Amino acid sequence: TITYETVLVYQDAYDEQGTTTLEVTGTEARRLLFPLLASSGSSPFLHRISTDNDNNRTASLYTQHVVRCLSFLLKSNNLIPIQAFVAHCLNNTPKLLPALFRALPIPDPKHPFSFISCSRLISRLLKD
C-alpha cells in the first residue's frame, strides 16, 4: 500500500513492466492531485484560500472546489488511508473544515457501518 506521505514526496514508484496503462495513469493522476489538495506551498488553490479574506469570492470558489474533491475522495473510497489524507489536508488548511462538514452527508443510522465510519471520521478530524 502506498501512503499519501510517499506520494507527496514523489517516491511512489510503479513497475513499468507489470502495470497496465490504467495503473500508470492513476499513479500520475495521484501525483498531480495529492499536492494540489495537501500542500499550500505547491497548490495555488490552497495558497489563495489560506491567504485571502473570508469574504473574497475567489477564495470561496476555490474552497468549494477543494472540498468537493475531498468529499468525492471520501465518498468513493472511505478507507483509513484516505481519511488520514483528508485529515492531513485539513491540518494544512484549517479553513476547509467548516465547508467540508457542510458537504459531508451523514449516513442514516440504520446503516451502522456507514454511520460508524462517518462518525469516526468526524471525530478524527475534530481531534486533529
Side-chain angles (χ1 to χ4, degrees), residues 2-89:
I2 297 171
T3 64
Y4 70 87
E5 292 98 347
T6 307
V7 175
L8 291 175
V9 294
Y10 305 107
Q11 296 194 359
D12 61 325
Y14 52 86
D15 179 20
E16 293 183 20
Q17 300 293 336
T19 57
T20 64
T21 305
L22 183 62
E23 291 172 320
V24 171
T25 305
T27 301
E28 294 299 327
R30 184 177 57 218
R31 287 178 181 170
L32 291 172
L33 179 66
F34 279 21
L36 286 176
L37 295 175
S39 172
S40 59
S42 61
S43 171
F45 307 115
L46 297 180
H47 178 72
R48 192 74 176 259
I49 290 168
S50 59
T51 58
D52 283 349
N53 296 332
D54 292 339
N55 59 2
N56 189 330
R57 180 166 166 72
T58 307
S60 175
L61 288 174
Y62 287 152
T63 300
Q64 289 174 5
H65 289 301
V66 171
V67 164
R68 229 180 270 146
C69 289
L70 292 175
S71 61
F72 179 77
L73 280 174
L74 290 170
K75 289 176 193 172
S76 65
N77 191 355
N78 195 10
L79 299 174
I80 299 299
I82 293 295
Q83 290 180 0
F85 174 68
V86 170
H88 173 78
C89 294

Side-chain angles (χ1 to χ4, degrees), residues 114-124:
S114 298
F115 184 74
I116 290 171
S117 177
C118 185
S119 300
R120 186 185 181 303
L121 170 66
I122 291 171
S123 69
R124 180 182 186 163

